């Protein structure tokens, strides 16, 4: 039975000995605190397993920690510079890491994977762990002050246009000692470099984690720890999109997401982008790599580090004050519950539909496949809490004008106001259903009573 299974932690390291040593010590600490845990250590390699790394694995084996050494990666030629070697190695190892993680989670063994701990350079595995419904954590083997730098990197990139080393004044981050630009990590010393781009991607990737483990302690960096705790409380979490929503007016933002696996074509992405821009309404868009098959993401993980590259030229710059585009994933429950969210453009998956109703958020119905068209009809014609996005029969695409009209109608039009009132009623009914004497609670209690008597 499932409840008798041993809890398993999967740890993903990188082809760097110093990182391997630190995360191996973390594994030992896990077992000291909880001896009944089982740990599987996944190790990517570049060409072959170095002798020092084998020593690390042998030491872990003596503690009954299993290891999976992945196949060597085929790096692009000529060999990338040292600063890009490990980021590229981890990107090329991603399919093998996914295969190993899938195997561990789908096996019929006596173990159940309950969490993933990935090295900072292995951040690309986080969206995949979300799809497997596994709690995921990043291990950052450096000072907590560097974590603060990671969290603030996007803002620094947007607000500072010169090279950091050319700044006359030091950079001041909450809880950190002022740092001159020339003393920032090497990855930030050349804004035109591939290393710099990858650093920003890794920093954004951290926002997908359920938590971050840092090799520090409160008494070592007290000001920093206090500042980060306060920021977390003020922002309702560290997610960039939640922090952005905090700065928006109540009910002003349209949340755009096609679920955990839905995809739209590249042409449709362009039309949607132009329609959102034309609507002049605030938006938060979870964007994934395009695909002609609407359900593509249910069967494979995205191979694109930043799907924003598929947006129309200049779109991000033109809509900088209007919207936020988040790659791959956002904390949907928190987004829908946020006071600033006033509408939801959704694929009409039932999970998303119920989450929207529970929060009283009106809907633009954009079904993609499966039963979603049926649900769109129920929402639009039955409950009358949704506007249906109309597909052009000739092109098979929802055009930008149709999108702009639907968005404006929902967010600021009379039809949207009427839908919002009907949604408020459904929200109240949903809340009543789960009270102690509510219909859902009573029905579930009756079922449990039948099982146990």
């Amino acid at each position: 039975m499932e409840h008798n299974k041993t809890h398993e932690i999967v740890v993903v390291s990188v082809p760097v000995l110093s990182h391997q040593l630190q995360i191996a010590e973390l594994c030992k600490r896990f077992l000291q605190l909880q001896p009944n845990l089982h740990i599987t250590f996944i190790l990517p390699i570049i060409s072959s397993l170095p002798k020092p790394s084998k020593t690390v694995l042998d030491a872990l084996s003596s503690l009954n920690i299993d290891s999976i050494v992945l196949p060597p990666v085929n790096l692009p030629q000529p060999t990338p510079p040292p600063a890009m070697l490990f980021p590229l190695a981890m990107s090329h190892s991603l399919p093998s890491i996914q295969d190993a993680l899938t195997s561990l989670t789908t096996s019929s063994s006596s173990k159940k994977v309950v969490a993933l701990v990935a090295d900072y350079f292995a951040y690309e595995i986080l969206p995949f762990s979300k799809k497997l419904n596994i709690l995921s954590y990043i291990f950052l083997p450096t000072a907590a002050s560097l974590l603060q730098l990671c969290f603030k990197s996007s803002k620094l990139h947007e607000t500072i246009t010169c090279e950091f080393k050319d700044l006359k004044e030091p950079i001041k981050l909450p809880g950190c000692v002022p740092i001159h630009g020339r003393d920032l990590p090497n990855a930030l010393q050349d804004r035109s470099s591939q290393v710099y781009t990858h650093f920003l991607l890794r920093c954004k990737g951290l926002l997908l984690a359920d938590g971050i483990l840092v090799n520090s302690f409160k008494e070592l960096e007290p000001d920093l720890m206090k500042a980060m705790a306060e920021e977390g409380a003020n922002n309702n979490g560290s997610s960039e999109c939640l922090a952005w929503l905090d700065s928006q007016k109540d009910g002003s933002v349209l949340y755009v997401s096609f679920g955990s696996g839905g995809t739209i074509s590249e042409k449709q992405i362009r039309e949607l982008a132009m329609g959102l821009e034309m609507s002049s309404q605030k938006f938060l868009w979870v964007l994934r790599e395009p695909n002609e098959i609407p359900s593509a993401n249910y069967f494979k993980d995205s191979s694109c580090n930043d799907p924003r590259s598929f947006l129309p030229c200049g779109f991000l710059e033109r809509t900088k004050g209007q919207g936020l585009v988040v790659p791959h994933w956002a904390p949907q429950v928190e987004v829908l519950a946020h006071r600033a969210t006033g509408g939801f453009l959704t694929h009409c998956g039932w999970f998303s539909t119920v989450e929207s109703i529970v929060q009283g958020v009106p809907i633009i119905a954009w079904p993609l496949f499966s039963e979603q068209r049926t649900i769109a009809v129920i929402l639009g014609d039955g409950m009358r809490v949704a506007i249906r996005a109309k597909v052009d029969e000739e092109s098979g695409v929802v055009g930008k004008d149709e999108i702009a009209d639907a968005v404006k109608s929902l967010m600021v039009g009379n039809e949207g106001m009427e839908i919002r009132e009907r949604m408020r009623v459904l929200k109240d009914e949903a809340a009543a259903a789960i009270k102690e004497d509510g219909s859902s609670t009573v029905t579930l209690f009756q079922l449990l009573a039948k099982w146990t008597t």
Side-chain angles (χ1 to χ4, degrees):
M1 293 176 64
E2 179 122 331
H3 62 270
N4 290 327
K5 287 190 174 186
T6 301
H7 291 165
E8 179 165 22
I9 307 295
V10 178
V11 175
V12 180
S13 190
V14 294
V16 185
L17 181 61
S18 59
H19 286 231
Q20 294 165 13
L21 289 170
Q22 289 202 45
I23 206 166
E25 289 299 317
L26 180 63
C27 291
K28 296 176 186 177
R29 185 65 174 150
F30 284 156
L31 291 179
Q32 287 173 355
L33 297 173
Q34 183 50 268
N36 293 327
L37 275 178
H38 184 270
I39 298 176
T40 297
F41 191 89
I42 297 177
L43 181 62
I45 59 175
I46 294 178
S47 54
S48 60
L49 182 65
K51 188 174 180 180
S53 297
K54 186 177 185 305
T55 302
V56 173
L57 298 184
D58 290 342
L60 293 176
S61 177
S62 68
L63 297 172
N64 202 28
I65 296 175
D66 291 338
S67 297
I68 299 175
V69 179
L70 301 180
V73 296
N74 295 315
L75 291 175
Q77 297 298 325
T79 302
M84 281 304 301
L85 189 61
F86 298 120
L88 289 177
M90 293 310 298
S91 293
H92 283 72
S93 296
L94 190 59
S96 296
I97 299 173
Q98 291 175 350
D99 289 345
L101 192 56
T102 300
S103 177
L104 290 169
T105 55
T106 58
S107 67
S108 57
S109 70
S110 60
K111 305 178 186 69
K112 179 184 179 182
V113 177
V114 294
L116 169 78
V117 179
D119 185 281
Y120 162 67
F121 280 95
Y123 72 98
E124 290 168 287
I125 194 63
L126 295 180
F128 188 71
S129 70
K130 295 289 182 188
K131 291 183 180 180
L132 296 178
N133 199 28
I134 301 172
L135 290 172
S136 52
Y137 298 82
I138 285 292
F139 175 64
L140 188 72
T142 187
S145 296
L146 269 296
L147 178 60
Q148 183 72 299
L149 176 62
C150 291
F151 284 154
K152 303 300 183 185
S153 62
S154 291
K155 185 175 181 180
L156 291 174
H157 173 73
E158 292 171 358
T159 57
I160 298 174
T161 56
C162 67
E163 292 290 355
F164 294 119
K165 63 185 177 184
D166 295 330
L167 291 172
K168 299 188 185 305
E169 298 293 329
I171 294 171
K172 297 178 181 178
L173 301 175
C176 299
V177 62
I179 306 171
H180 196 283
R182 61 174 174 268
D183 294 322
L184 291 176
N186 289 345
L188 295 177
Q189 295 302 328
D190 181 359
R191 294 167 68 97
S192 65
S193 69
Q194 191 179 8
V195 178
Y196 180 87
T197 301
H198 269 258
F199 179 83
L200 293 181
L201 287 174
R202 284 197 298 279
C203 293
K204 287 183 180 295
L206 296 181
L207 299 175
L208 295 182
D210 291 296
I212 299 175
L213 305 171
V214 185
N215 193 13
S216 186
F217 53 95
K218 290 181 179 180
E219 294 79 5
L220 184 62
E221 301 176 85
D223 293 340
L224 184 280
M225 298 291 187
K226 181 181 178 182
M228 293 188 75
E230 291 174 351
E231 287 183 327
N234 292 336
N235 290 334
N236 190 25
S238 60
S239 173
E240 177 190 9
C241 57
L242 294 180
W244 183 81
L245 284 172
D246 286 343
S247 65
Q248 308 304 319
K249 294 180 180 179
D250 289 4
S252 64
V253 177
L254 177 73
Y255 174 53
V256 181
S257 175
F258 295 98
S260 60
T263 47
I264 57 178
S265 68
E266 186 170 354
K267 182 178 181 180
Q268 185 64 84
I269 285 178
R270 292 196 297 270
E271 291 292 318
L272 178 51
M274 290 186 287
L276 290 172
E277 183 178 355
M278 289 166 55
S279 76
S280 300
Q281 301 302 305
K282 298 276 187 173
F283 64 86
L284 170 60
W285 182 5
V286 180
L287 179 64
R288 296 186 181 88
E289 181 180 4
N291 199 299
E292 296 294 332
I293 302 173
S295 60
N297 266 357
Y298 280 101
F299 307 106
K300 74 177 188 65
D301 192 41
S302 173
S303 60
C304 178
N305 286 337
D306 192 351
R308 290 173 295 190
S309 60
F310 294 97
L311 291 168
C313 182
F315 171 78
L316 291 175
E317 291 76 15
R318 293 192 303 272
T319 59
K320 191 172 183 179
Q322 179 186 351
L324 178 68
V325 180
V326 181
H328 304 302
W329 182 87
Q332 180 161 296
V333 173
E334 291 90 337
V335 169
L336 289 173
H338 199 283
R339 57 163 184 80
T341 302
F344 185 13
L345 191 160
T346 173
H347 65 310
C348 298
W350 190 242
F351 287 163
S352 293
T353 297
V354 172
E355 288 167 356
S356 193
I357 290 171
V358 166
Q359 299 301 336
V361 179
I363 288 171
I364 294 177
W366 189 315
L368 296 178
F369 58 93
S370 190
E371 80 282 13
Q372 294 163 11
R373 288 182 178 83
T374 307
I375 293 173
V377 174
I378 294 169
L379 290 171
D381 298 345
M383 301 176 186
R384 295 190 298 150
V385 292
I387 293 174
R388 181 76 176 265
K390 296 180 179 63
V391 180
D392 181 81
E393 293 184 3
E394 185 175 333
S395 66
V397 168
V398 183
K400 59 181 182 294
D401 293 321
E402 166 67 21
I403 295 167
D405 289 344
V407 172
K408 286 187 287 188
S409 181
L410 186 78
M411 300 301 290
V412 294
N414 291 332
E415 185 178 6
M417 291 177 62
E418 294 171 0
I419 287 175
R420 193 162 282 107
E421 286 301 318
R422 287 192 283 270
M423 260 300 193
R424 285 196 185 102
V425 174
L426 286 182
K427 178 183 179 181
D428 292 341
E429 291 176 346
I434 59 174
K435 289 182 177 179
E436 186 175 351
D437 59 347
S439 60
S440 292
T441 304
V442 170
T443 303
L444 187 58
F445 177 80
Q446 291 171 343
L447 176 63
L448 291 171
K450 183 177 181 179
W451 286 352
T452 56
T453 58

